[in-house]
Amino acid sequence: RANLPVGSVNQVIDKMLEEISILRPKHIALQTQLGDFDQKTMLRQIELWGEKIIPAIKKELGRNQPAAQALAA
């Protein structure tokens, strides 16, 4: 569980940035369904990724880095 992007928005951002700095991926894929969360919870999670988490990671990495481009929609 230590390497899963779960927790508060800030915890997820920090975990993702740490993993990106170690692995230097060219592509990133996320699975948004874990367990048996209801639809409302899952839709909120997707909103948080799009509105807060991905923009924060892109800002931290800079738009020209491959890892930031991997997060492009």
Side-chain angles (χ1 to χ4, degrees):
R1 189 172 213 215
N3 65 342
L4 292 176
V6 296
S8 70
V9 168
N10 288 334
Q11 289 173 321
V12 171
I13 292 167
D14 290 344
K15 286 179 183 182
M16 289 297 295
L17 288 171
E18 180 180 7
E19 291 292 318
I20 290 167
S21 72
I22 294 167
L23 301 173
R24 303 248 186 248
K26 291 186 179 186
H27 302 283
I28 297 173
L30 300 169
Q31 179 177 345
T32 59
Q33 179 65 38
L34 293 172
D36 59 352
F37 291 115
D38 59 58
Q39 183 182 22
K40 182 178 178 181
T41 301
M42 295 313 304
L43 291 174
R44 180 64 183 139
Q45 176 191 17
I46 293 167
E47 287 175 3
L48 289 172
W49 275 95
E51 294 173 0
K52 298 187 183 275
I53 297 168
I54 292 173
I57 293 170
K58 285 181 179 180
K59 182 178 179 183
E60 182 69 27
L61 295 176
R63 289 290 289 162
N64 294 326
Q65 291 193 13
Q69 293 172 356
L71 288 168

